[in-house]
Every structure is written in C-alpha cells, then in structure tokens.
Amino acid sequence: MAKRHPIIAGNWKMNKSLRETQEYAVKLLGVLGEVTAIDVVVCAPFTALNVLKNELEESVIHIGAQDMFYAPDGAYTGEISAAMLVDVACTYVILGHSERREILRETDEEIAKKVKAALKAGLTPILCVGENLANREEGKAFAIVRGQVEKDLTDLAPDDLKRVVIAYEPIWAIGTGKTASSEDAQEMCAMIRSTLAGIAGVVADEVNILYGGSVKADNIGELMSQPDVDGALVGGASLEAEGFAQLVQNAVAVL
C-alpha cells in the first residue's frame, strides 16, 4: 500500500437536519482535525453540503456527496451536477451505491457517464460495486463485480482511472449486521485490483479499494490489515461523530 493513501468515508445516506449536520461537523473536527494519516470523508445529503462547507472547507476533513447527474446542466428536474458539488466544496462523490442500483434501478451505463463527469469536474468518484446474496450463493460474485468494474470504468485513460476510488460493498452485508470476513474482503479487493490491472496495467497499484458493509470501530482494524483493503465506506457507524471518530482512530492505529 506504499503508493496508496488510505481513505475512510462516512455515508450518512438520508439522515440529518442542518442543525445536526453543524453539530456533527464541529464534534468531528474537534477530534480528527489533525489526522492526516488517513483521508477522512463525510458524504452527506445535498441539503447538508453547504453547512459542511462552512464548517470543514479549510480543514483536513473532506466533503463528499452521495450522488450526482452526468449532464453539466439542463432540463433535469431534481438533479445535481458535478459543478454544483464543486461549488459547495465537495471533493468526493459516491457513485453507483447498491441502494441506487437496487432501488432506483441505476444502470452501469448511467454510472459510467457519472464517473466520467465527476472526473472531468475534478471530483474523486467513489465507485461502489458488489454482489447480492443470491449472486454469492450461486458462485457468481466474482463475475458480477468484475463486470461492474469493467462497465463502469469503460474507456477511461490510465491517468483518469488512478483517480477513481472503488468501494467493494457486498449487498448482503449492508445494514444487516453481517460482515464479510477480512479474508473474503481481501479476496474480492484483490480480484478488483487484478481486473484494474487488466484495464490499465500498473496503474492498478495506485487505486484505492475500500470495503463497505457493516464496518464498525471494532472490525476496521482487521479489515485494514489486509494488503488490498485501503480503507472503508462506512454507513450506520458514521452517523454519530464520536463513534465515527473512534473508527478512524482505530484505523490509524493499524497503519
């Protein structure tokens, strides 16, 4: 992992008022304001992003969004562009999260467009890939995840590909309390890196690959000890500032 700087990203999903956002940011900054061994990212709902900008823009904590549209502007009611995210100090954006794939039926073709648009705007996309329980039980997990990586990163130049962060999230482990073993996580992350190597050669060694799926303060250390796991995309455990800060501190301790 010598070429890769670890990342811990919290995904609030559809949670927090503006007041809760401000209180959270102040608390998190008070604990993690000097942490640089890991890039800490807070991915919040669109409504909360300007509050995070006001509190975190000049700090070491990065701001991320949970989605964006691929067009730069136009008649797309309800959508948010990459430029709008940059305007509120976002540097990261989650794309292709399993909940958007499963509930909102996002396709790999749409996600690939979003990845390109994010990169063009200077954002770092956190591309989510992962299999559901049926895929895994049928022995199709590798094929599903490999296909997502190849389709979502289609036609990217190596210099662009190395700016992408990939988050492997087994769908059966999201919000269920179930977690893939550290060995399972390593096996899949290594396969993803091998797939990237097939696309862009040695650039694959520079791509951060995160694990997401019921990540908690008490299992982050074991996950981070794996050679191809470069951090985590954290859901429920990121909703309380103190708990998320502890998770980050436990991850730093492993480095």
Side-chain angles (χ1 to χ4, degrees), residues 179-223:
T179 310
S181 69
S182 56
E183 292 79 11
D184 287 338
Q186 165 57 26
E187 185 179 38
M188 187 63 83
C189 289
M191 187 281 293
I192 291 171
R193 201 173 303 284
S194 175
T195 301
L196 294 173
I199 297 171
V202 295
V203 164
D205 289 332
E206 300 181 50
V207 177
N208 277 290
I209 302 176
L210 315 182
Y211 171 77
S214 296
V215 179
K216 301 178 179 64
D218 60 5
N219 65 20
I220 186 63
E222 184 178 356
L223 289 164

Side-chain angles (χ1 to χ4, degrees), residues 85-105:
L85 298 184
V86 172
D87 208 28
V88 286
C90 284
T91 52
Y92 286 81
V93 58
I94 297 172
L95 298 175
H97 191 280
S98 62
E99 289 158 1
R100 296 197 62 85
R101 292 179 188 264
E102 298 275 304
I103 300 170
L104 299 172
R105 301 292 184 239

Side-chain angles (χ1 to χ4, degrees), residues 133-196:
L133 186 59
N135 298 149
R136 177 161 283 265
E137 290 179 342
E138 293 168 4
K140 298 177 180 178
F142 276 19
I144 293 292
V145 174
R146 184 182 297 110
Q148 290 172 340
V149 171
E150 292 174 343
K151 292 173 186 175
D152 298 344
L153 300 179
T154 183
D155 299 328
L156 286 187
D159 282 348
D160 282 332
L161 191 144
K162 68 183 180 183
R163 294 167 50 209
V164 176
V165 174
I166 296 180
Y168 164 59
E169 43 166 30
I171 298 171
W172 48 271
I174 298 174
T176 64
K178 297 179 180 179
T179 310
S181 69
S182 56
E183 292 79 11
D184 287 338
Q186 165 57 26
E187 185 179 38
M188 187 63 83
C189 289
M191 187 281 293
I192 291 171
R193 201 173 303 284
S194 175
T195 301
L196 294 173

Side-chain angles (χ1 to χ4, degrees), residues 77-89:
T77 301
E79 295 294 344
I80 299 288
S81 72
M84 292 173 179
L85 298 184
V86 172
D87 208 28
V88 286

